[in-house]
Amino acid sequence: MPGLTRLGLTGGIGSGKSTVAQMLADRGAAIVDADAIARSMTAPNGQAIAAIAKEFGPRFIAADGALDRHLMRTLAFDDPTARRRLEAIIHPLVGQEATRQADDAVAAGARVLVFDIPLLAESTHWRERLDRVMVIDCPEETQVARVTARDGLPQATVQAIIAAQAPRLKRLAAADGVICNDTLTLDALRAIVGQVARDFGL
């Protein structure tokens, strides 16, 4: 569609990606949040729950009908195939819902679609659906410090999550543009995001 830009936004945990997405939304971009969609699929009675119970067993479903994230995280660290099996269930559902949300946004007149995709660099199908890829980057020690402060997780847990994501250099290799969000204040980050937004006509 002429005049429509599809921007992929990615970054490791604690990079500030969600903050940047919100700043772009504030300037009028439509956000399709793959992580939020995935969470909804594994929420109580979400679309992925029945398939997860069948694949992994009912003990992986908590009493409230949601995925038991702690139990699944523990399994994924012990069994390298567990994450791939879970993703094989969730990713097709996320793709379908992301397409639906994007179509709705376009129908409503959106000129910039921002696809907030934590696993973009690992994906084999997202890149071809995007016009540009923006990576929000910072050193691993900054990620660890932010996430331990934000979520109260042990440092070792955060490091394990980072290790399970795409290596930093792989993300950077997929980028058309990079925002280095290490020592930036929120105002400085907002100014940079504003320039990016202007480049897209927002």
Side-chain angles (χ1 to χ4, degrees), residues 44-60:
N45 304 310
Q47 291 184 40
I49 292 299
I52 291 171
K54 182 178 180 181
E55 175 68 25
F56 294 96
R59 71 190 184 96
F60 284 87

Side-chain angles (χ1 to χ4, degrees), residues 1-16:
M1 175 179 175
L4 177 66
T5 299
R6 295 176 174 86
L7 174 65
L9 185 67
T10 195
I13 187 171
S15 64

Side-chain angles (χ1 to χ4, degrees), residues 137 166-174:
D137 182 55
R168 184 181 179 191
L169 290 179
K170 185 174 182 179
R171 274 197 303 273
L172 292 172

Side-chain angles (χ1 to χ4, degrees), residues 86-171:
L86 181 64
E87 289 174 350
I89 294 169
I90 295 176
H91 284 184
L93 295 172
V94 171
Q96 292 167 17
E97 177 60 17
T99 297
R100 187 194 68 76
Q101 290 186 14
D103 290 345
D104 286 351
V106 172
R111 292 177 294 126
V112 177
L113 295 179
V114 175
F115 293 86
D116 183 342
I117 311 168
L119 301 178
L120 194 155
E122 296 95 319
S123 169
T124 57
H125 68 275
W126 270 111
R127 188 60 180 90
E128 63 192 25
R129 300 171 60 180
L130 303 168
D131 301 308
R132 300 272 300 278
V133 171
M134 178 69 66
V135 172
I136 313 304
D137 182 55
C138 66
E140 181 175 324
E141 54 267 28
T142 300
Q143 293 178 263
V144 172
R146 285 175 178 165
V147 178
T148 53
R150 182 188 71 194
D151 299 341
L153 294 173
Q155 180 174 322
T157 300
V158 179
Q159 289 171 328
I161 293 171
I162 292 170
Q165 296 182 329
R168 184 181 179 191
L169 290 179
K170 185 174 182 179
R171 274 197 303 273

